[in-house]
Structures are given as C-alpha cells and as structure tokens.
Amino acid sequence: MAEAKTRVLLLFGGRSAEHEISIISARFIVDSLDRSRFEPLLVAITPDGRWQLLDEEQLTTTKDPREAKLEPGGPVAWLRPMPDRADREGTLHVEGRAPISFDVAFPVLHGPMGEDGTVQGLFELCSVPYVGAGVTGS
C-alpha cells in the first residue's frame, strides 16, 4: 500500500521589494520536489497583499526577476486562526471551493512580512506546522 503524499503549501510572492525573487524561488522549489513523496499546493501573495491559489502552469518559469510575475485570476485563498486545534494540520480556505487540507506550510517569502516572523506568527495562530525558523528566530 502506497503512503499518502505530504501536501506542502508553498506561500510565495508577498508585499516586499523581493516579490519577484520569491516567485523564482518558489519555481525552483516546485521543480525540485520529489513528486513521489510531496504534493505542492501553491498560494501566491500579490504585491497588494491578496492571497490566491495558483495552478503550477500559472507559476512563472523565468529565472530573470525582471520578467517574474504572477498570473492574475486565481481564486482568493486564506487561513483562519484556530489556536486550539490539536491535529496540527493546515486548512486552506478558497473562494468558491471546498477547504483544502495540507500537512505543512513552506514560506518562500523574502524580506519584510516573510522573513521577519510575521507569517510564522500567522502559522502559529492557525496551528499550522511550517518549515523554517519560528517567530522569534525570524
């Protein structure tokens, strides 16, 4: 019997000046994931702060930050704080769709509101396990 794949929420883009670099970093991570073990769930944050669910085809393939951009039109997505949740599994809420569960969040955000503990604090409030340093370490 095959083991279930670990669903990884990749959160990238963001509101910092390093928005485009974050998009390129996310592409490298998606391309490097062992698909026999991991299933990516892509959530982009637009420069104005809107979270949107993307398909892989919508994630840029360029390595040039001047050409990196997010394709518009993905459905709005969000996390809901659930501090008493015991199962430590994430739930992504998506406009017009059923909620999507995931196993771990991987923040691929650079600069302020990504590497400064902000998003890590959100994950803590939502009882979502995540990759990387915690709130204080960030």
Side-chain angles (χ1 to χ4, degrees), residues 20-138:
E20 292 81 9
I21 301 300
S22 175
I23 295 170
I24 293 170
S25 297
R27 175 83 262 168
F28 284 130
I29 292 167
V30 167
D31 289 345
S32 300
L33 282 177
D34 178 351
R35 295 304 177 96
S36 67
R37 298 178 51 212
F38 302 102
E39 176 187 353
L41 179 61
L42 305 177
V43 176
I45 302 175
T46 64
D48 64 354
R50 180 180 182 263
W51 289 34
Q52 63 182 37
L53 182 65
L54 293 185
D55 294 324
E56 274 190 59
E57 297 77 39
Q58 293 174 284
L59 184 57
T60 186
T61 56
T62 185
K63 294 178 182 162
D64 184 342
R66 295 168 297 180
E67 297 175 9
K69 62 183 169 92
L70 293 176
E71 293 296 327
V76 174
W78 66 93
L79 298 175
R80 219 176 70 209
M82 300 181 75
D84 58 348
R85 191 168 183 163
D87 59 10
R88 297 290 291 171
E89 178 183 78
T91 302
L92 182 69
H93 299 272
V94 182
E95 184 177 65
R97 299 186 186 184
I100 304 169
S101 65
F102 61 93
D103 300 294
V104 63
F106 190 154
V108 190
L109 298 164
H110 303 300
M113 292 197 266
E115 293 176 320
D116 61 359
T118 306
V119 76
Q120 293 82 355
L122 173 65
F123 292 148
E124 292 286 340
L125 285 171
C126 296
S127 296
V128 170
Y130 57 93
V131 173
V135 176
T136 306
S138 295

